[in-house]
């Protein structure tokens, strides 16, 4: 249950792009205007940690109570992991990423320019206007370092390319249960959106979507929430234990199913797309809205339980959990919360908890879950 | 308005309460000092008045339900708008600090932890949510909010925390989002964004308050706010004097009114009186630490449950902690407030608190303090509960040592949760630090 041709790795993609004369933008989580970077010939390559790096270089700058996504990103940078990139974009998702952006600018000062991007915490007209202005400001900064000045037409072309890729990404999510892909293969494909050029991702997504549907995958249907499914072996382990991920609310995945924009102003349209994405605590979405979204997704996908799979010390996630879990329980959806450090291997304890959760969900009458 | 509730409010807040509080003040003025006066100056004479002022504020909150509109706000929020609309303003962070000082925070936070809130979350937030869930509080009773007013200029935590409060109370959340200032100057579009949000908040707040915003009153509140902040800054700057007339431990206690009663005339009177007392101390040659040998700064929030321990430990070694980036935050922006151009100046004032600025700016602030206050070292409280304040401290400490040439200590703790305070370890590290000071 793997796609016909293997998906190139981040390193391969980065190398190939560079060979064509393109630049690389290393981008920290979570939301940012991909289209803007591409309009400057920069390929956004996201940095979610990465997992399993030597944390020592980052530990010289960050306290142990900072999450491992931020800690690992800094370690990775300091160990030369981002040497092949031309610019670093740090979207403002939380206090820890804010701190990382600030540290890079003030103390670490990497070779590449560092551009923070502040994301507003609401969906008001003022938020939209501000984010459009932020995108404009980022445009100016990128223009200064690349010497390019993409026209409005070029920007709109870039936006449409990303919108098409995001449309296909959303379709993959909608049809995930009948795609001929294991959970692991599915996430390898959708997470390739983190670094593949949009057109290449779109071609791969289309190839999978155009293929014949498969029988729905067996297993206790689960909704996976949280930040990032690392280590990815988790997904095979869940399948082996009799579970199937049928929907997700992961920050790296389901929370970035941006709808197409409507504005004819490119900066406003980029802002619109980000602000109209699924609910996300880092964008200030109310907890009730998140809960409705989770319950709705569970109903649509048939998920019978929710696994909150979080990176330790992730404040935006931890604050919502008690009310989300209570609301889900009231909706007949049991949940379990698991915290991991990106440098830890998949632990027996995690697997035991998931297994116990699956047994509990499997033992619960399906009607109750649909209540 | 329910006349019985109005009567109850007036009786308790304006008649009976003040008498009781005055009596308590009278008793406190006669009580012997609790902190070790072999090494520390006697307590400030104004201290019982501080307690009375703060207690009266909380007393008004206790009886506010049904009589006054109540706003729960974050400590860096543009409170002038609320004051001008006659809201009773409650600061959950201050309430949590009161719980911390009274060593009740862990018990109250446990209520939140029992409901699923992780111990990795801010201990102020846990204390506050615990108080909401259990009703436990040392101030009698907390009034329910009619509106939640959060400003992200101190952290993003407040947004996550107030979103939870909005669910518990079903109260509207008004957000003033202040883009983080990574460089020296905030971008013009960021200032514009803050100003626009302030203006957009007005009709929402007016609807809840049931009255129109009177621009003249807002200007008056702005003036009072500015004056109180200026006085507070003057008081802090008096600590450039040797010996410093008050320590940061005094400042931590005396800062309550500037945080929670900014914009009130009583606050201006209070700080004018405090300034007078501080000047009298300087004239009499009284130092907060009796044998002031070394002077250091404090970075980050206080460790509320160990103020006395830290003050006494350091004073015993002749170390006076004379300045703090934290207490300074409520004074340093005073010059930015312009009552004649309030909307624009509010936008600028509230985007520039130290916590909304980069790690390099904080280092520059500390360097300047070392120079202006003639400091011999720095204590940087690495506060588990406050990531935005703490991230950057490892580099700041290294640069203070390397580039400024002063010993700097990173002290691991938590502002409200004593379970994160390892006393033996702290004592060892402080002792080593004192030794380095010479």
């Amino acid at each position: 249950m793997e796609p016909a041709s293997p998906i190139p790795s981040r390193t391969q993609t980065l190398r190939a792009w560079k060979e064509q004369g393109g630049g690389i933008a290393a981008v920290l989580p979570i939301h940012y205007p991909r289209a803007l970077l591409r309009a400057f010939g920069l390929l956004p390559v996201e940095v979610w940690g990465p997992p399993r790096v030597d944390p020592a270089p980052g530990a010289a700058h960050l306290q142990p109570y900072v999450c491992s996504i931020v800690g690992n990103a800094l370690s990775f940078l300091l160990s030369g992991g981002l040497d092949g990139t031309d610019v670093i974009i740090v979207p403002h998702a939380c206090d820890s990423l804010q701190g990382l952006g600030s540290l890079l600018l003030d103390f670490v000062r990497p070779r590449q320019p560092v551009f923070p991007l502040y994301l507003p915490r609401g969906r008001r007209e003022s938020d939209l206007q501000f984010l459009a202005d932020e995108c404009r400001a980022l445009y100016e900064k990128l223009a200064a370092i690349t010497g390019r000045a993409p026209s409005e037409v070029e920007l709109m072309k870039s936006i449409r390319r990303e919108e098409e890729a995001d449309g296909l990404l959303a379709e993959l999510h909608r049809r995930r249960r009948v795609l001929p892909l294991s959970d692991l293969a599915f996430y390898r494909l959708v997470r390739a959106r983190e670094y593949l050029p949009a057109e290449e991702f779109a071609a791969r997504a289309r190839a999978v979507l155009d293929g014949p549907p498969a029988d729905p995958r067996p297993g206790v249907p689960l909704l996976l929430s949280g930040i990032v499914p690392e280590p990815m072996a988790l997904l095979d382990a869940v399948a082996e234990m009799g579970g199937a991920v049928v929907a997700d609310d992961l920050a790296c995945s389901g929370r970035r199913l941006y709808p197409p924009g409507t504005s004819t102003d490119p900066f406003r349209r980029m802002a619109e797309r980000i602000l109209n994405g699924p609910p996300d605590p880092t964008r200030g979405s109310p907890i009730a809205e998140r809960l409705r979204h989770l319950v709705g997704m569970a109903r649509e996908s048939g998920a019978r339980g929710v696994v909150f799979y979080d990176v330790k010390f992730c404040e935006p996630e931890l604050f919502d959990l008690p009310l989300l879990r209570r609301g889900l329980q009231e909706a007949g959806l049991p949940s379990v919360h698991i915290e991991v450090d990106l440098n830890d291997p998949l632990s027996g304890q995690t697997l035991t908890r998931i297994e116990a959760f699956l047994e509990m969900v499997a033992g619960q009458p399906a009607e109750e879950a649909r209540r | 308005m329910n006349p019985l509730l109005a009567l109850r409010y007036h009786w308790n807040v304006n008649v009976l309460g003040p008498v009781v509080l005055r009596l308590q003040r009278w008793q406190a003025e006669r009580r012997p000092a609790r902190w070790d006066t072999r090494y520390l100056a006697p307590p400030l004479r104004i201290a019982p008045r501080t307690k009375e002022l703060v207690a009266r504020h909380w007393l008004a909150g206790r009886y506010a339900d049904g009589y006054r509109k109540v706003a729960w706000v974050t400590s860096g929020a543009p409170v002038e708008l609320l004051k001008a609309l006659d809201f009773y303003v409650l600061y959950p962070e201050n309430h949590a600090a009161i719980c911390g000082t009274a060593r009740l925070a862990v018990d109250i936070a446990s209520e939140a932890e029992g409901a699923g809130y992780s111990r990795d979350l801010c201990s102020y937030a846990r204390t506050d949510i615990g108080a909401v869930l259990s009703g436990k509080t040392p101030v009698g009773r907390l009034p329910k909010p009619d509106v939640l007013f959060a400003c992200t200029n101190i952290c993003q935590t407040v947004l996550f925390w107030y979103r939870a409060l909005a669910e518990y109370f079903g109260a509207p959340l008004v957000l003033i989002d202040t883009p983080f200032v990574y460089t020296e100057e905030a971008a013009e579009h960021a200032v514009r964004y803050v100003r626009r949000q302030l203006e957009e908040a007005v009709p929402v707040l007016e609807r809840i308050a049931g009255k129109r915003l009177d621009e003249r009153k807002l200007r008056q509140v702005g003036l009072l706010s500015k004056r109180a902040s200026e006085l507070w800054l003057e008081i802090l700057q008096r600590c450039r004097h040797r010996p410093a007339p008050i320590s940061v431990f005094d400042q931590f206690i005396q800062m309550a009114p500037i945080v929670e009663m900014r914009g009130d005339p009583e606050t201006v009177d209070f700080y004018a009186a405090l300034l007078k007392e501080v000047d009298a101390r300087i004239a009499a040659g009284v130092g907060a630490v009796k044998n002031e040998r070394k002077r250091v700064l404090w970075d980050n929030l206080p460790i509320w449950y160990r103020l006395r321990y830290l003050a006494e430990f350091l004073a015993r070694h002749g170390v006076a902690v004379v300045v703090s980036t934290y207490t300074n935050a409520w004074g340093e922006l005073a010059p930015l407030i312009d009552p004649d151009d309030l909307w624009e100046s509010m936008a600028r004032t509230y985007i520039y608190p130290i916590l909304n600025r980069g790690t390099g700016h904080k280092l520059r602030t500390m360097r300047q303090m070392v120079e202006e206050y003639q400091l011999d070292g720095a204590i940087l409280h690495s506060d588990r509960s406050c990531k935005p304040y703490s991230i950057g401290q490892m580099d700041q400490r290294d640069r203070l040592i390397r580039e400024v040439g002063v010993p700097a200590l990173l002290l691991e703790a938590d502002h409200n949760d004593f379970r994160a305070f390892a006393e033996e370890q702290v004592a060892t590290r402080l002792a080593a630090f004192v030794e380095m000071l010479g």
Side-chain angles (χ1 to χ4, degrees):
Chain A
M1 291 215 291
E2 290 286 335
S5 63
I7 299 166
S9 69
R10 274 177 164 77
T11 313
Q12 289 166 329
T13 307
L14 195 141
R15 200 174 296 135
W17 188 261
K18 288 285 246 190
E19 279 167 12
Q20 290 168 31
I24 302 290
V27 189
L28 276 293
I30 301 175
H31 306 286
Y32 64 98
R34 280 191 179 107
L36 183 59
L37 299 169
R38 279 298 305 278
F40 282 91
L42 293 164
L43 177 69
V45 175
E46 299 176 13
V47 185
W48 290 82
R52 291 173 302 281
V53 299
D54 172 11
H61 299 269
L62 293 166
Q63 287 94 333
Y65 46 81
V66 176
C67 85
S68 50
I69 287 189
V70 167
N72 279 19
L74 183 54
S75 293
F76 191 57
L77 169 89
L78 293 169
S79 328
L82 299 181
D83 282 356
T85 65
D86 302 285
V87 58
I88 300 172
I89 308 288
V90 190
H92 190 299
C94 60
D95 289 325
S96 297
L97 277 162
Q98 166 188 297
L100 177 64
S102 191
L103 270 182
L104 294 182
L105 285 166
D106 292 330
F107 298 130
V108 177
R109 294 183 187 149
R111 174 189 56 76
Q112 309 90 323
V114 176
F115 297 147
L117 177 81
Y118 192 84
L119 291 154
R121 267 55 179 177
R123 280 184 182 169
R124 303 159 293 190
E125 172 54 31
S126 50
D127 300 312
L128 183 61
Q129 184 58 52
F130 169 75
L131 186 52
D133 287 342
E134 272 289 272
C135 291
R136 243 179 234 112
L138 183 56
Y139 175 99
E140 298 299 336
K141 290 176 189 167
L142 294 171
I145 59 159
T146 61
R148 299 167 76 160
S151 66
E152 279 208 6
V153 172
E154 286 168 318
L155 286 170
M156 286 307 279
K157 188 178 161 196
S158 182
I159 290 171
R160 289 206 182 88
R161 185 170 51 214
E162 298 297 335
E163 286 183 349
E164 189 193 348
D166 283 340
L168 290 161
L169 178 69
E171 192 57 24
L172 286 172
H173 274 267
R174 263 193 297 277
R175 286 163 51 187
R176 61 192 292 165
R177 202 151 188 201
V178 292
L179 295 176
L181 300 174
S182 66
D183 278 340
L184 181 61
F186 175 82
Y187 277 102
R188 279 200 182 124
L189 175 60
V190 297
R191 293 198 62 199
R193 183 83 180 99
E194 295 169 16
Y195 60 91
L196 280 185
E199 55 278 26
E200 194 175 333
F201 173 81
R204 287 176 180 277
R206 210 173 278 116
V208 172
L209 291 165
D210 288 348
D215 290 334
R217 274 175 300 120
V220 178
L222 295 176
L223 193 162
L224 188 57
S225 182
I227 302 296
V228 65
E230 293 285 2
M232 296 273 277
L234 165 83
L235 298 157
D236 270 348
V238 168
E240 275 166 29
M241 289 186 288
V245 180
V246 296
D248 88 53
D249 166 54
L250 293 167
C252 72
S253 172
R255 278 183 221 167
R256 302 198 300 170
L257 300 179
Y258 308 116
T262 55
S263 176
T264 50
D265 173 89
F267 298 105
R268 232 182 125 81
R269 187 158 176 147
M270 290 179 217
E272 244 177 24
R273 298 199 64 220
I274 291 174
L275 294 191
N276 291 334
D280 184 337
T282 68
R283 285 201 339 267
S285 312
I287 298 174
E289 191 183 320
R290 275 197 79 192
L291 179 61
R292 277 196 301 278
H293 178 69
L294 289 176
V295 172
M297 257 201 303
R299 297 243 155 89
E300 262 177 47
S301 63
R304 291 174 55 193
V306 179
V307 177
F308 288 99
Y309 193 78
D310 287 325
V311 177
K312 193 156 170 56
F313 301 116
C314 181
E315 211 169 51
E317 294 295 306
L318 290 175
F319 263 107
D320 284 11
L321 269 178
L323 285 166
L324 287 181
R325 295 190 67 189
R326 191 178 79 183
L328 289 169
Q329 192 65 44
E330 284 165 8
L333 286 161
S335 64
V336 64
H337 178 226
I338 290 163
E339 278 187 300
V340 294
D341 182 289
L342 284 186
N343 291 318
D344 291 343
L346 189 56
S347 76
Q349 193 190 8
T350 296
L351 294 178
T352 306
R353 291 191 64 205
I354 293 176
E355 191 169 24
F357 181 67
L358 281 168
E359 278 171 19
M360 192 265 282
V361 173
Q364 198 178 42
E367 315 71 86
E368 196 182 325
R370 283 199 297 272
R371 198 176 58 205
Chain B
M1 185 196 303
N2 182 333
L4 278 178
L5 291 177
L7 187 66
R8 188 183 69 155
Y9 181 90
H10 280 295
W11 171 251
N12 286 298
V13 178
N14 298 328
V15 181
L16 184 61
V19 173
V20 174
L21 292 174
R22 185 58 59 91
L23 181 66
Q24 286 177 351
R25 174 175 155 186
W26 185 83
Q27 287 170 330
E29 282 165 349
R30 279 147 192 82
R31 205 172 289 139
R34 279 189 286 183
W35 290 25
D36 195 337
T37 48
R38 283 175 301 167
Y39 310 106
L40 292 161
L44 286 160
R45 284 196 318 276
I46 206 165
R49 182 173 162 190
T50 319
K51 208 168 175 184
E52 182 189 17
L53 191 66
V54 172
R56 193 162 173 187
H57 172 75
W58 290 99
L59 181 70
R62 188 172 178 170
Y63 296 100
D65 275 342
Y67 174 69
R68 289 178 72 180
K69 295 293 180 186
V70 175
W72 284 28
V73 307
T74 58
S75 61
V79 70
E80 290 79 7
L81 285 179
L82 299 161
K83 293 271 181 187
L85 283 162
D86 293 323
F87 277 93
Y88 172 78
V89 179
L90 184 146
Y91 289 79
E93 292 154 69
N94 279 38
H95 174 253
I98 290 171
C99 297
T101 313
R103 302 193 189 188
L104 295 169
V106 169
D107 176 44
I108 298 175
S110 302
E111 300 283 348
E113 290 157 21
Y117 289 91
S118 166
R119 268 177 68 174
D120 290 332
L121 291 172
C122 164
S123 52
Y124 272 175
R126 278 183 282 129
T127 306
D128 176 50
I129 293 171
V132 169
L133 296 178
S134 66
K136 289 182 185 174
T137 169
V139 301
R141 188 181 161 277
L142 298 176
K144 287 195 179 68
D146 294 288
V147 65
L148 298 156
F149 193 64
C151 183
T152 56
N153 61 1
I154 49 167
C155 58
Q156 294 297 317
T157 302
V158 293
L159 170 66
F160 307 130
W161 164 7
Y162 276 55
R163 284 162 66 251
L165 292 180
E167 300 296 332
Y168 285 119
F169 289 112
L173 168 59
V174 174
L175 176 71
I176 306 295
D177 190 11
T178 48
F180 189 75
V181 183
Y182 289 93
T183 49
E184 266 309 283
E185 287 286 318
E188 271 313 301
H189 70 270
V191 178
R192 214 164 44 232
Y193 173 49
V194 176
R195 178 175 176 159
R196 193 163 168 187
Q197 291 175 83
L198 290 169
E199 288 166 350
E200 284 172 352
V202 172
V204 181
L205 296 174
E206 283 180 333
R207 187 170 38 76
I208 297 163
K211 60 172 74 167
R212 298 297 301 273
L213 180 69
D214 178 344
E215 288 275 349
R216 276 175 311 175
K217 189 164 181 187
L218 179 62
R219 187 176 180 279
Q220 184 59 24
V221 172
L223 271 169
L224 291 168
S225 191
K226 182 180 174 70
R227 186 65 197 126
S229 302
E230 284 169 346
L231 284 165
W232 177 243
L233 188 62
E234 275 187 70
I235 290 162
L236 301 185
Q237 289 176 343
R238 291 295 198 270
C239 292
R240 291 173 180 168
H241 193 273
R242 274 179 186 267
I246 58 171
S247 72
V248 297
F249 302 105
D250 299 310
Q251 296 169 18
F252 291 149
I253 294 164
Q254 303 306 330
M255 70 186 287
I258 194 64
V259 181
E260 64 193 9
M261 299 164 75
R262 207 163 60 244
D264 292 347
E266 296 85 357
T267 308
V268 173
D269 296 344
F270 170 78
Y271 284 116
L274 177 55
L275 182 61
K276 220 166 149 184
E277 184 177 351
V278 167
D279 280 341
R281 273 192 170 194
I282 291 173
V286 175
V289 169
K290 281 188 172 167
N291 170 32
E292 182 188 295
R293 287 189 316 109
K294 299 287 174 185
R295 297 156 63 85
V296 302
L297 74 75
W298 180 274
D299 179 51
N300 215 325
L301 276 77
I303 301 171
W304 288 113
Y305 47 90
R306 284 292 187 275
L307 290 184
R308 179 175 161 187
Y309 165 81
L310 290 164
E312 289 178 349
F313 184 101
L314 291 163
R316 215 166 31 241
H317 295 90
V319 178
V321 191
V322 301
V323 63
S324 150
T325 55
Y326 182 65
T327 51
N328 195 52
W330 277 269
E332 66 181 343
L333 301 179
L336 288 181
I337 307 170
D338 178 2
D340 294 323
D341 186 11
L342 206 53
W343 294 100
E344 183 67 14
S345 72
M346 270 203 292
R348 289 188 188 277
T349 306
Y350 286 103
I351 207 171
Y352 278 128
I354 193 165
L355 264 169
N356 205 44
R357 304 187 71 171
T359 46
H361 174 79
K362 180 142 76 78
L363 177 64
R364 281 191 290 280
T365 304
M366 289 195 278
R367 290 179 89 126
Q368 200 177 333
M369 284 174 166
V370 169
E371 202 174 299
E372 289 176 357
Y373 289 78
Q374 300 169 50
L375 304 178
D376 304 292
I379 299 173
L380 290 80
H381 167 208
S382 171
D383 184 349
R384 263 184 81 86
S385 271
C386 192
K387 290 190 185 81
Y389 220 139
S390 303
I391 294 179
Q393 283 180 322
M394 296 171 80
D395 285 276
Q396 288 155 357
R397 174 202 54 190
D398 292 351
R399 283 170 199 242
L400 284 170
I401 295 170
R402 244 189 9 245
E403 295 171 9
V404 184
V406 295
L409 168 74
L410 201 63
L411 196 66
E412 295 286 344
D414 183 286
H415 57 246
N416 237 28
D417 191 334
F418 59 69
R419 292 168 295 185
F421 187 86
E423 192 145 331
E424 279 306 310
Q425 206 179 325
V426 168
T428 310
R429 303 210 67 205
L430 278 176
F433 174 67
V434 168
E435 218 173 290
M436 283 171 74
L437 288 173

